[in-house]
Amino acid sequence: MEILRGMFEVGALPVVERTLSFTEARHAALAENVANAETPGYLRRDLPLDAFRARLIEAMERRRPGEPLVPIDIRKLPAPTWGRSPDSGNLRHDGADVSMEAEQAALAENALLHNAMAALARRLYGTIRAAIQGRSEAS
Amino acid sequence: MLASLDISASGLAAQRTRMDVIAQNIANAHTTRDAEGRPFPYRRQEVLFAPSSGSGPGVSVAEIRPDATPPRRVWDPGHPDAIDGYVAYPNVNVIQEMVDMTLASRSYEANVTAIETAKSMYGAALRILG
């Protein structure tokens, strides 16, 4: 099985896989904000993309050739620094800070990253498949 | 990923409940007596949301409670439900209900958008090995 782990834990695949886990978890957080957009006192939650990216780069730099990428615990990422949305407060008196526009923009951004990473993963697996089948063109 | 679908579905259900309550308020905007026929004006109901705690993340309807605003009194001695010449009409403001209805409808659509996004992400993930 060593050869299989070598096949899937090298190159860009683990990076893509970690990013996919992150975007999935972030989508759940953003969907919760949309669902609670009109819940009094609800404070939005988010997973910080910047902090995740920093952890990922750190893990990639620390990785030595032939070694697997260390896992990144999404739950241990620091709380997002950009806290409350700037356009809340004046018109809202219920203590909630969800801005529907910002949530939709974040949802779209997150989905783009996810879909780009999924497309990349598809290409990478295609390359592995081509190597297994001994063909020059990935299907 | 499927958990985020549950979250958005809870948002849809909550907004639908809100829509039901608004419809009930508008339908009873001029109801001056209760189910037993006694002169008692309908009281506007309002929906309170809370983040769900028990059944995973999302939103839930915490309470549907009557609005405490006093009824609207109109001088109409000929009305069968008049008391001392005044008829108590429900504390329902139809325009306010209309605004609430638009808000509920938009929130519903926002949750639908979140579901569509989750679906596209799910589709992309499924195509990885396709």
Side-chain angles (χ1 to χ4, degrees), chain B residues 2-84:
Chain B
L2 287 175
S4 66
L5 285 181
D6 287 342
I7 293 169
S8 297
S10 78
L12 292 180
Q15 296 301 334
R16 181 171 289 281
T17 307
R18 184 181 180 194
M19 205 68 130
D20 289 347
V21 171
I22 293 168
Q24 192 190 351
N25 287 342
I26 295 176
N28 283 293
H30 297 280
T31 304
T32 52
R33 52 177 71 177
D34 60 12
E36 277 82 44
R38 288 169 302 207
F40 187 81
Y42 171 80
R43 280 175 82 187
R44 174 176 180 270
Q45 304 288 310
E46 60 185 348
V47 177
L48 288 182
F49 294 139
S52 32
S53 46
S55 55
V59 67
S60 63
V61 174
E63 196 186 349
I64 299 176
R65 66 164 188 202
D67 186 341
T69 323
R72 197 159 45 87
R73 279 155 58 85
V74 175
W75 173 254
D76 185 3
H79 195 284
D81 291 334
I83 297 168
D84 299 331

Side-chain angles (χ1 to χ4, degrees), chain A residues 20 23-24 27-29 31-32 34-36 38-40 42 45 100 104 107-108 110-111 114-115 117-119 121-122 125 129, chain B residues 1 4 7-8 10-11 15 18 49-51 57-59 103 107 110-111 113-114 117-118 120-122 124-125 127-130:
Chain A
L20 283 175
T23 49
E24 273 190 33
H27 181 85
E32 207 179 349
V34 172
N36 280 293
E38 285 167 272
T39 303
Y42 177 83
R45 29 198 94 144
M100 197 56 101
Q104 295 293 343
L107 272 174
N110 188 55
H114 180 94
N115 293 354
M117 283 298 148
R122 186 178 149 86
Y125 279 115
R129 195 182 303 123
Chain B
M1 182 59 88
S4 66
I7 293 169
S8 297
S10 78
Q15 296 301 334
R18 184 181 180 194
F49 294 139
V59 67
L103 276 173
S107 300
N111 282 293
T113 309
T117 310
S120 88
M121 289 166 71
Y122 215 24
R127 280 194 302 278
I128 288 178
L129 289 175

Side-chain angles (χ1 to χ4, degrees), chain A residues 7 9-10 12-13 17-19 24 26 31 34 38 47-48 54 57 59 70 73 75 90 92 95 103 113 115 120 137:
Chain A
M7 200 185 294
E9 277 291 330
V10 292
L13 258 179
E17 186 260 315
R18 307 292 191 269
T19 313
E24 273 190 33
R26 184 163 187 231
V34 172
E38 285 167 272
L47 291 171
I57 290 171
V70 291
D73 193 346
R75 283 161 304 175
N90 281 339
R92 298 199 64 158
E103 298 305 331
L113 178 59
N115 293 354
L120 188 54
E137 272 295 306

Side-chain angles (χ1 to χ4, degrees), chain A residues 11-89:
Chain A
L13 258 179
V15 177
V16 170
E17 186 260 315
R18 307 292 191 269
T19 313
L20 283 175
S21 325
F22 171 80
T23 49
E24 273 190 33
R26 184 163 187 231
H27 181 85
L30 295 172
E32 207 179 349
N33 293 341
V34 172
N36 280 293
E38 285 167 272
T39 303
Y42 177 83
L43 298 178
R44 72 182 301 274
R45 29 198 94 144
D46 200 350
L47 291 171
L49 182 59
D50 295 349
F52 171 74
R53 200 173 276 155
R55 288 283 163 80
L56 192 59
I57 290 171
E58 194 188 309
M60 282 156 68
E61 279 170 352
R62 218 190 301 151
R63 176 164 75 156
R64 265 170 284 158
E67 267 185 23
L69 192 71
V70 291
I72 294 165
D73 193 346
I74 291 165
R75 283 161 304 175
K76 281 191 188 143
L77 291 176
T81 46
W82 56 290
R84 301 178 74 94
S85 329
D87 53 343
S88 70

